[in-house]
Coordinates of all heavy atoms in Angstrom, one line a residue:
V1151 N 1.0 2.7 -8.4 CA 1.1 4.1 -8.0 C 2.6 4.4 -7.8 O 3.3 3.7 -7.0 CB 0.3 4.4 -6.8 CG1 0.4 5.9 -6.4 CG2 -1.2 4.1 -7.1
E1152 N 3.1 5.5 -8.3 CA 4.4 6.0 -8.1 C 4.5 6.9 -6.9 O 3.9 8.0 -6.9 CB 5.0 6.7 -9.3 CG 5.0 5.9 -10.6 CD 6.2 4.9 -10.7 OE1 7.0 5.0 -9.8 OE2 6.3 4.2 -11.7
L1153 N 5.2 6.5 -5.8 CA 5.4 7.4 -4.7 C 6.7 8.1 -4.8 O 7.6 7.8 -5.5 CB 5.4 6.5 -3.4 CG 4.1 5.7 -3.2 CD1 4.3 4.9 -1.8 CD2 2.8 6.5 -3.2
S1154 N 6.8 9.2 -3.9 CA 8.0 10.0 -3.9 C 9.2 9.3 -3.2 O 10.4 9.6 -3.4 CB 7.8 11.3 -3.3 OG 7.4 11.2 -1.9
R1155 N 8.8 8.3 -2.3 CA 9.8 7.5 -1.6 C 9.2 6.1 -1.3 O 8.0 6.0 -1.3 CB 10.3 8.2 -0.4 CG 9.2 8.5 0.7 CD 9.8 9.4 1.8 NE 8.8 9.8 2.7 CZ 8.5 9.2 3.8 NH1 9.0 8.0 4.1 NH2 7.6 9.7 4.7
P1156 N 10.0 5.1 -0.9 CA 9.4 3.8 -0.6 C 8.3 3.9 0.4 O 8.4 4.7 1.4 CB 10.6 3.0 -0.2 CG 11.8 3.6 -0.9 CD 11.5 5.1 -0.9
L1157 N 7.3 3.0 0.3 CA 6.2 3.0 1.3 C 6.7 2.7 2.7 O 6.2 3.3 3.7 CB 5.2 2.0 0.8 CG 3.9 1.8 1.7 CD1 3.1 3.1 1.7 CD2 3.1 0.7 1.2
G1158 N 7.6 1.8 2.8 CA 8.2 1.4 4.1 C 7.1 0.9 5.0 O 6.2 0.1 4.7
D1159 N 7.1 1.4 6.3 CA 6.1 0.9 7.3 C 4.9 1.8 7.3 O 4.0 1.7 8.2 CB 6.7 0.8 8.7 CG 7.3 2.1 9.2 OD1 7.2 3.1 8.4 OD2 7.8 2.1 10.3
R1160 N 4.7 2.7 6.4 CA 3.5 3.5 6.4 C 2.3 2.7 5.9 O 2.4 1.8 5.1 CB 3.7 4.7 5.4 CG 4.8 5.7 5.9 CD 4.9 6.9 4.9 NE 5.5 6.4 3.6 CZ 5.6 7.2 2.5 NH1 5.2 8.5 2.6 NH2 6.1 6.7 1.4
V1161 N 1.1 3.0 6.5 CA -0.1 2.4 6.1 C -0.7 3.1 4.9 O -0.4 4.3 4.6 CB -1.1 2.3 7.2 CG1 -0.6 1.5 8.4 CG2 -1.5 3.7 7.7
V1162 N -1.5 2.3 4.1 CA -2.2 2.9 3.0 C -3.7 3.1 3.4 O -4.3 2.2 4.0 CB -2.2 2.0 1.8 CG1 -3.1 2.5 0.7 CG2 -0.8 1.8 1.3
V1163 N -4.1 4.4 3.2 CA -5.5 4.8 3.7 C -6.3 5.1 2.4 O -5.8 5.8 1.5 CB -5.4 6.0 4.6 CG1 -6.9 6.5 4.9 CG2 -4.7 5.6 5.9
D1164 N -7.5 4.5 2.4 CA -8.4 4.9 1.3 C -9.0 6.3 1.5 O -9.7 6.5 2.5 CB -9.6 3.8 1.3 CG -10.5 4.0 0.1 OD1 -10.5 5.1 -0.6 OD2 -11.3 3.1 -0.2
A1165 N -8.7 7.2 0.7 CA -9.1 8.6 0.9 C -10.6 8.7 0.8 O -11.2 9.7 1.3 CB -8.4 9.5 -0.2
T1166 N -11.3 7.8 0.1 CA -12.7 7.8 0.0 C -13.5 7.4 1.2 O -14.5 7.9 1.6 CB -13.2 7.0 -1.2 OG1 -12.5 7.4 -2.4 CG2 -14.7 7.0 -1.4
T1167 N -12.9 6.4 1.9 CA -13.6 5.9 3.2 C -12.9 6.3 4.4 O -13.5 6.3 5.5 CB -13.6 4.4 3.1 OG1 -12.3 3.8 3.1 CG2 -14.3 3.9 1.8
G1168 N -11.6 6.7 4.4 CA -10.8 7.0 5.6 C -10.4 5.8 6.3 O -9.8 5.9 7.4
L1169 N -10.5 4.6 5.7 CA -10.1 3.4 6.3 C -8.8 2.9 5.9 O -8.4 3.1 4.7 CB -11.2 2.3 6.1 CG -12.6 2.6 6.6 CD1 -13.5 1.5 6.1 CD2 -12.6 2.8 8.1
V1170 N -8.1 2.2 6.7 CA -6.8 1.6 6.3 C -7.1 0.4 5.4 O -8.0 -0.4 5.6 CB -6.0 1.1 7.6 CG1 -4.8 0.3 7.2 CG2 -5.7 2.2 8.5
V1171 N -6.3 0.4 4.3 CA -6.5 -0.6 3.3 C -5.8 -1.9 3.6 O -4.6 -1.8 4.0 CB -6.1 -0.1 1.9 CG1 -6.3 -1.1 0.8 CG2 -6.8 1.2 1.6
P1172 N -6.4 -3.1 3.5 CA -5.7 -4.3 3.8 C -4.6 -4.6 2.8 O -4.7 -4.3 1.7 CB -6.8 -5.4 3.8 CG -7.9 -4.8 2.9 CD -7.8 -3.3 3.2
R1173 N -3.5 -5.2 3.4 CA -2.4 -5.5 2.5 C -2.6 -6.9 1.9 O -3.1 -7.8 2.5 CB -1.1 -5.5 3.4 CG 0.1 -6.0 2.7 CD 1.3 -5.8 3.6 NE 2.5 -6.3 3.1 CZ 3.7 -6.1 3.5 NH1 3.9 -5.2 4.6 NH2 4.8 -6.6 3.0
R1174 N -2.3 -7.0 0.6 CA -2.4 -8.2 -0.1 C -1.0 -8.8 -0.4 O -0.1 -8.1 -0.7 CB -3.1 -8.0 -1.5 CG -3.2 -9.2 -2.4 CD -4.2 -9.0 -3.5 NE -4.1 -7.7 -4.1 CZ -3.8 -7.5 -5.4 NH1 -3.5 -8.6 -6.2 NH2 -3.8 -6.3 -5.9
A1175 N -1.0 -10.1 -0.2 CA 0.3 -10.8 -0.4 C 0.7 -10.7 -1.8 O -0.1 -10.8 -2.7 CB 0.2 -12.2 0.1
R1176 N 2.0 -10.5 -2.0 CA 2.5 -10.4 -3.4 C 2.5 -11.8 -4.0 O 2.9 -12.8 -3.4 CB 4.0 -9.9 -3.4 CG 4.6 -9.7 -4.8 CD 6.0 -9.3 -4.8 NE 6.2 -8.0 -4.3 CZ 6.7 -7.7 -3.1 NH1 7.0 -8.6 -2.3 NH2 6.8 -6.4 -2.7
E1177 N 2.0 -11.9 -5.2 CA 1.9 -13.1 -5.9 C 3.3 -13.6 -6.3 O 4.1 -12.8 -6.7 CB 1.0 -13.0 -7.2 CG -0.4 -12.6 -6.9 CD -1.2 -12.5 -8.2 OE1 -0.6 -12.7 -9.3 OE2 -2.4 -12.3 -8.1
P1178 N 3.6 -14.9 -6.1 CA 4.9 -15.4 -6.5 C 5.2 -15.2 -8.0 O 4.3 -15.4 -8.8 CB 4.8 -16.9 -6.1 CG 3.4 -17.2 -6.1 CD 2.6 -16.0 -5.7
R1179 N 6.4 -14.9 -8.2 CA 6.8 -14.7 -9.6 C 7.0 -16.1 -10.3 O 7.6 -17.0 -9.7 CB 8.2 -14.0 -9.7 CG 8.1 -12.5 -9.1 CD 9.4 -11.9 -9.3 NE 9.5 -10.5 -8.7 CZ 9.0 -9.4 -9.3 NH1 8.5 -9.5 -10.5 NH2 9.1 -8.3 -8.7

């Protein structure tokens, strides 16, 4: 998803459930 600015310390919320979405660790390159 392309945001207008970096996500930073903002949380991601599922608009369908209203719940905060868990963060997944980035897979190593």
Side-chain angles (χ1 to χ4, degrees):
V1151 178
E1152 301 277 357
L1153 304 180
S1154 62
R1155 60 186 175 91
L1157 180 63
D1159 58 0
R1160 293 180 293 173
V1161 298
V1162 174
V1163 175
D1164 186 343
T1166 301
T1167 65
L1169 301 176
V1170 175
V1171 181
R1173 176 173 174 166
R1174 176 166 43 117
R1176 183 185 291 108
E1177 297 180 0
R1179 299 182 183 275

